[in-house]
Amino acid sequence: MIVVKTCIVALAFFCITCQSTKAHQSQLILHSSCNSMADGLRYIKAAPASPIIPVVCSNGFTMLNPALNLKQYLKYFKHVQFDTNTEFGVAHDCKECLAKNDVVMDEENFWVASIHLDQSQCPCYKPSISVSFPVFKHSLPSVRESAASQLFYEQAARNIVFLSDEDSEDTETVVPSSCAGLADGSQFIMPSEEVGEIIHVNCYQGWTVLNPSLDRETLPSYFTSWLEYTDKVVGPSFDDFATWRQWFSAATENTEFSLSEDCTVCAPQPAADDVR
């Protein structure tokens, strides 16, 4: 398992909430998923502590589309969990959710599909049950109008808050390029704006743990080549004689490398010639 460590300035976001003097007039009920909801653009709240996100309901599935509001989705993906009876699907070009049976869950029923901001593919899910939560209308996040206009849905909920790209809060969303300054555990980063792909990683004391099992679809885009030697070991293709620094396209001369035996913790190691 490859571990990368770089430095970056972390940005903090400051939020202000206002209390309504007429709470009973500004509340609405949101479902935790699209199980029994009509197809269309909707808001959901998956759990009491989960952020509200905009989704597309399709055939009873909840279609996740981070392009609608990246800031909210990055919060949502950090703690999303599913029961063992959850059905999964995939929507090619984010058009329609179709069942898919090869989704792999970890020991804690944790699943995060790759994030495709170009809307070439959207993950879908349908849990065994759906519950409801009351929320304040002023807490509803905005939806990027340009992203929503590319989707295939017949109607939108009347409470959807559309904003242009210039006014959208996503214009201020900065995705970290590494784990420097981030809390330990599951995080999402974009190592290179040139590649432009967001990947799911583990963070440990500033180290970025690249675990293919967390993001098998997107992670290879950050390497010069990608070959699975076994079901647990990947590396450059046989005609790619790259060092680690050459192999990982987002690496700089200041990048440190190490190995994590359990893909959760790591520590500095003496640099071998093929690591330089």
Side-chain angles (χ1 to χ4, degrees):
M1 189 59 54
I2 299 175
V3 182
V4 183
K5 189 175 185 180
T6 57
C7 295
I8 187 174
V9 177
L11 298 182
F13 293 96
F14 181 68
C15 300
I16 301 176
T17 58
C18 299
Q19 184 177 0
S20 173
T21 58
K22 297 183 179 180
H24 64 284
Q25 296 183 7
S26 62
Q27 282 189 329
L28 67 157
I29 301 298
L30 294 185
H31 295 284
S32 60
S33 62
C34 290
N35 291 35
S36 59
M37 299 173 65
D39 289 359
L41 184 60
R42 305 281 188 267
Y43 287 119
I44 67 165
K45 183 176 177 63
S50 178
I52 300 170
I53 58 171
V55 301
V56 174
C57 295
S58 174
N59 300 325
F61 282 85
T62 301
M63 183 192 302
L64 303 177
N65 190 329
L68 295 175
N69 189 311
L70 178 59
K71 184 177 181 179
Q72 290 296 102
Y73 268 90
L74 290 177
K75 298 175 184 177
Y76 167 81
F77 278 133
K78 288 182 180 180
H79 60 266
V80 59
Q81 290 184 317
F82 303 96
D83 60 60
T84 56
N85 296 318
T86 299
E87 297 179 57
F88 295 94
V90 60
H92 297 291
D93 295 325
C94 299
K95 292 182 178 180
E96 181 182 16
C97 290
L98 300 174
K100 185 178 181 182
N101 298 319
D102 60 351
V103 175
V104 178
M105 305 284 288
D106 67 9
E107 295 178 355
E108 298 180 354
N109 291 328
F110 187 86
W111 167 74
V112 173
S114 296
I115 296 178
H116 296 269
L117 295 179
D118 61 358
Q119 301 188 105
S120 60
Q121 178 176 302
C122 285
C124 309
Y125 72 94
K126 182 193 292 184
S128 58
I129 59 173
S130 178
V131 296
S132 301
F133 302 99
V135 301
F136 290 106
K137 287 185 178 180
H138 63 40
S139 66
L140 297 177
S142 63
V143 173
R144 291 184 62 188
E145 195 170 24
S146 62
S149 65
Q150 300 177 37
L151 298 177
F152 297 82
Y153 60 89
E154 295 184 358
Q155 60 177 330
R158 62 175 180 230
N159 294 306
I160 297 295
V161 182
F162 290 105
L163 285 181
S164 65
D165 287 358
E166 294 180 355
D167 297 329
S168 175
E169 60 191 39
D170 271 3
T171 59
E172 300 179 0
T173 299
V174 177
V175 182
S177 63
S178 75
C179 284
L182 299 183
D184 290 355
S186 176
Q187 297 285 356
F188 290 88
I189 66 171
M190 183 189 292
S192 168
E193 291 187 0
E194 182 177 352
V195 176
E197 295 286 354
I198 298 175
I199 58 175
H200 185 202
V201 301
N202 277 328
C203 294
Y204 180 75
Q205 296 183 359
W207 290 88
T208 303
V209 184
L210 303 178
N211 184 346
S213 66
L214 295 179
D215 204 333
R216 194 171 296 276
E217 291 184 20
T218 309
L219 186 58
S221 63
Y222 282 98
F223 294 86
T224 56
S225 62
W226 187 270
L227 180 63
E228 296 185 7
Y229 303 146
T230 69
D231 60 345
K232 296 182 179 180
V233 180
V234 299
S237 60
F238 294 133
D239 60 351
D240 186 357
F241 302 99
T243 64
W244 284 10
R245 193 177 308 280
Q246 295 167 338
W247 184 37
F248 184 56
S249 62
T252 69
E253 61 181 9
N254 297 319
T255 303
E256 300 176 47
F257 294 90
S258 185
L259 292 174
S260 174
E261 295 183 359
D262 61 359
C263 295
T264 59
V265 301
C266 51
Q269 295 181 356
D273 290 339
D274 62 346
V275 177
R276 298 182 185 278

